[in-house]
Amino acid sequence: YAKKNKLDQQIYNQKIDVNTLERLQLINELKSAIEQGELVLFYQPKLDLKLNKVTHVEALVRWQHPDRGMIPPDTFIPIAEQMGQMNALTRWVMNESIAQYLRWKSQGIDLGIAINISAENLKDPYFCQYVLDVISDSNVPIEALTLEITEDAVVSDPENAIKQLKILKKYGLKLSIDDYGTGYSSLAQLKQLPVDELKIDKSFVQNLMVSQDDQIIVNSTLQLAHSLGLRVVAEGIEDEAALAWLTERGCEMGQGYYLSRPTDADNLVQWLTSSRY
Ligand code: C2E
Ligand code: CA
Ligand code: CA
Ligand code: CA
């Protein structure tokens, strides 16, 4: 028995070593990945449930690693955050999103783009200035861009975050609270945020049709958001019934695998032309 325990321990240690090694390699490679163009943006449609039409997409970054293949953001975003590389990453995402917006525009396709912002970005007091500079250097209409911000980005330093968000909002950017319901922000804090949109976290939406609790949470979130004058986006819609349920209850927008998984720009256009949206 002792022997088996020892073996388990060895296997366990080995696993840790491999993970640590992998992590260290990723940390080393991430910086050059941004410079060498190994990042790609995938896009997932945001369907306007009233118009039954895709009016926006969310940009979701992936790392196309030369040896390891496609690395999902949950693997490398936390590393970028710890290594102080989030500003470089967000800069790249913004520039690429704007370039894609303009490419689509020139093909007659008008899609607003939502960009994810990390808590690290908002901590930088020059963040909003940077965002405004990037936008004014391009031909993108400012209202075509939405910034998706998680609750925790605001909780750590609400005063600074609110100040920056207010400036961005004043210039016409759309702001969205991402993963709503999973963070620890209070209603009082939310009320102070100059946001346009609230995104209900997918954990409340994925099992909507089989969970009474989720239905209650989503229903009351819809009422709360609407009474505060906010538009609601439900993410994680995985079946037709959930889409219908949300549409009936006045949810403004929907997103999820049932409609489309995130996909590259060309595939998205193909999907748009073949789908009924
Ligand atoms: P998020 O912003 O909450 O994005 C939604 C995630 O849910 C995406 O995962 C998307 O592929 C996935 N998803 C969409 N619909 C469904 C569905 O119906 N069912 C399920 N199970 N999942 C669905 P992804 O692309 O792996 O991104 C994970 C997270 O990584 C994002 O969560 C976001 O927090 C972060 N992220 C992605 N791109 C960026 C970026 O450019 N900048 C920053 N700061 N964070 C990013
Ligand atoms: Ca998001
Ligand atoms: Ca989310
Ligand atoms: Ca998330």
Side-chain angles (χ1 to χ4, degrees), residues 145-149 164-166 168-169 173-177 194-198 231:
L145 300 180
T146 303
L147 301 185
E148 295 192 0
I149 302 141
Q164 299 214 60
L165 294 179
K166 279 192 172 149
L168 292 171
K169 166 86 177 174
L173 263 124
K174 297 274 178 289
L175 302 176
S176 173
I177 289 287
V195 295
D196 307 276
E197 178 183 289
L198 201 149
R231 161 175 89 222

Side-chain angles (χ1 to χ4, degrees), residues 41 44 58-62 72-74 77 81 86 89-90 93 115-118 121 148 150 178-179 199 201-202 206 235-238 255-258 260-262:
L41 287 185
Q44 189 180 35
E58 176 177 3
L60 294 155
V61 72
R62 275 99 181 86
D74 288 336
I77 296 268
E81 285 176 333
M86 238 11 246
L89 193 143
T90 301
V93 170
I115 296 166
N116 289 285
I117 297 302
S118 136
N121 294 134
E148 295 192 0
T150 51
D178 208 350
D179 299 352
K199 267 185 110 161
D201 190 68
K202 57 178 178 289
Q206 278 169 310
E235 65 173 20
I237 300 176
E238 294 187 356
Q255 199 178 343
Y257 291 170
Y258 173 69
S260 165
R261 289 186 178 247

